[in-house]
Amino acid sequence: MLQEKIEQIKKDFSIEISNINNDKQLEELRVKYFSKNGLVASLFILLKDANKDEKPQLGKVLNTLRSELQNQFNIVREQVSKSESSKNINVDLSLPGLERNVGSKHILTQTLDEIKSIFKGMGFSVFEGPELESDYNNFEALNFPPDHPARDMQDTFFISDEFVLRTHTSPVQIRLMKEQKPPVRAIMPGRVYRNEAVSSRSYCMFHQVEGLYVDTDVTFAELKGTLASFAKQFYGNNLKFRFRPSFFPFTEPSAEMDITCFICNGAGCKICKHTGWLEILGCGMVDPNVFDNVNYDNEKYTGYAFGMGIERIAMLKYGIKDIRVFFENDYRFLKQF
Ligand code: PHE
């Protein structure tokens, strides 16, 4: 009886162990055969009931069986542990690594960096002012009459009677001139706010770069030369541009600078409203009243100022048709730059 069982277990074990491939199966086999309640232990229990004469002989057989199975088990365990660890080493080292997403500067920051570097090359320094601005600096000191439409609730975010979110970077001109005596030559970048309906062309918040140069004998020709040089460095040497008379309360005379439409190359299309031209900035000679407001001698000094929208000039350079994409942080847009 016992002898038969021994043979059976031996057979089963050799079949089962030949099918072992991994640690989990190995452990299951160990529990089945070698644990306290396993098959090998059950044979030793049966031994107790065996015939007295046969006992020593059967005991020997059982011990041999146990060490035989144990030996086979150990050999297979060795093989499994080798193949398990070789699985880990078995990687193709020539495969490319996992791609990491590397961030980059926002396109507006890149554009501003480029503007700064061009103007620094022409002798301008960088000066900044706050986004929360006094009504006085934003309007009055810039020669806006009290009933000027730009002061209207439509355009300005009023914080109180006295303070507004600046609607342009021009109030930084006032701060700069109050702080420094002429000659001054600086650009003033920053965020501005306008209470306008959000659309593909306008947003309630955007960025401008202001420029100001005040000295004795500054002329409109210098203004044109400086802005032409900027535009060519920024958009390329083949650029065509023109200056068109305009009006701003704080400059006299005033002008706007246009460049040829990047879509139709001047032929006329929807984007340029069939004029062939796109406006990129406002500019002019500093109004003598503004000099009065900052205690600059307007008999002695002249100056020019200009202001451009950073979104706008980036849109024209890169063919971006909707201003809102700058502020949505859509990764698909950002990663193109
Ligand atoms: N501040 C004007 C605007 O926001 C631009 C400008 C700046 C015009 C300086 C003339 C001189 O439209």
Side-chain angles (χ1 to χ4, degrees), residues 25-40:
Q25 294 170 343
L26 194 71
E27 175 60 9
E28 278 164 13
L29 189 78
R30 188 192 65 77
V31 171
K32 182 170 176 186
Y33 285 90
F34 303 112
S35 67
K36 237 167 72 185
N37 302 316
L39 291 172
V40 175

Side-chain angles (χ1 to χ4, degrees), residues 1-6 46:
M1 247 289 269
L2 187 56
Q3 191 66 47
E4 273 168 28
K5 276 218 159 117
I6 290 171
L46 287 177

Side-chain angles (χ1 to χ4, degrees), residues 168 170 173 194 208 210 248 250-251 282-283 305-307:
H168 52 176
S170 300
Q173 289 186 37
R194 283 188 200 172
Q208 287 188 333
E210 194 81 9
F248 300 100
F250 39 94
T251 47
C283 60
F306 57 86

Side-chain angles (χ1 to χ4, degrees), residues 5-268:
K5 276 218 159 117
I6 290 171
E7 288 309 317
Q8 188 60 46
I9 286 179
K10 224 174 165 176
K11 238 171 140 187
D12 291 349
F13 184 83
S14 71
I15 292 169
E16 285 179 42
I17 199 151
S18 67
N19 290 326
I20 299 292
N21 292 313
N22 56 41
D23 284 337
K24 190 171 166 260
Q25 294 170 343
L26 194 71
E27 175 60 9
E28 278 164 13
L29 189 78
R30 188 192 65 77
V31 171
K32 182 170 176 186
Y33 285 90
F34 303 112
S35 67
K36 237 167 72 185
N37 302 316
L39 291 172
V40 175
S42 76
L43 292 177
F44 279 92
I45 291 168
L46 287 177
L47 182 64
K48 276 189 219 149
D49 305 330
N51 192 315
K52 250 194 187 163
D53 306 338
E54 290 176 350
K55 243 189 197 168
Q57 171 59 20
L58 282 172
K60 251 191 205 158
V61 174
L62 271 185
N63 281 330
T64 322
L65 171 78
R66 183 166 59 185
S67 54
E68 246 175 47
L69 298 191
Q70 194 73 59
N71 279 345
Q72 282 183 46
F73 181 83
N74 288 344
I75 290 167
V76 171
R77 183 168 59 189
E78 191 90 337
Q79 285 167 356
V80 168
S81 90
K82 257 189 208 152
S83 79
E84 289 273 300
S85 60
S86 73
K87 254 187 221 156
N88 298 335
I89 295 169
N90 194 11
V91 284
D92 182 350
L93 295 175
S94 68
L95 286 174
L98 289 179
E99 199 187 332
R100 269 167 209 265
N101 293 324
V102 178
S104 61
K105 281 189 183 173
H106 192 281
I107 181 58
L108 287 178
T109 310
Q110 288 183 40
T111 306
L112 178 58
D113 284 349
E114 202 180 336
I115 297 169
K116 277 183 185 166
S117 117
I118 293 171
F119 280 105
K120 278 181 182 170
M122 295 193 283
F124 285 74
S125 56
V126 178
F127 190 82
E128 284 182 19
E131 292 169 26
L132 181 63
E133 187 53 282
S134 65
D135 182 273
Y136 177 81
N137 283 345
N138 196 78
F139 295 122
E140 213 175 312
L142 289 165
N143 203 33
F144 278 82
D147 54 356
H148 192 279
R151 293 177 103 135
D152 196 286
M153 287 299 278
Q154 297 267 311
D155 286 311
T156 310
F157 287 110
F158 287 94
I159 300 299
S160 66
D161 283 348
E162 222 184 314
F163 290 101
V164 300
L165 289 178
R166 66 180 177 195
T167 57
H168 52 176
T169 43
S170 300
V172 191
Q173 289 186 37
I174 303 298
R175 290 176 175 271
L176 176 64
M177 289 190 280
K178 281 190 165 166
E179 207 176 294
Q180 295 173 21
K181 292 289 141 216
V184 292
R185 181 156 52 187
I187 55 166
M188 295 149 267
R191 221 169 248 186
V192 302
Y193 300 84
R194 283 188 200 172
N195 192 3
E196 282 176 315
V198 170
S199 72
S200 63
R201 297 166 138 265
S202 60
Y203 202 72
C204 49
M205 182 270 297
F206 56 100
H207 299 77
Q208 287 188 333
V209 179
E210 194 81 9
L212 178 70
Y213 176 36
V214 182
D215 202 347
T216 51
D217 303 322
V218 176
T219 66
F220 198 89
E222 280 174 84
L223 169 62
K224 280 174 82 173
T226 304
L227 291 177
S229 170
F230 160 74
K232 285 188 171 175
Q233 290 181 65
F234 189 81
Y235 287 109
N237 255 329
N238 297 329
L239 177 89
K240 283 205 195 99
F241 58 88
R242 69 175 185 187
F243 286 86
R244 199 168 24 80
S246 184
F247 174 80
F248 300 100
F250 39 94
T251 47
E252 183 60 35
S254 303
E256 278 171 317
M257 184 181 185
D258 296 340
I259 61 173
T260 29
C261 176
F262 68 99
I263 297 281
C264 63
N265 229 333

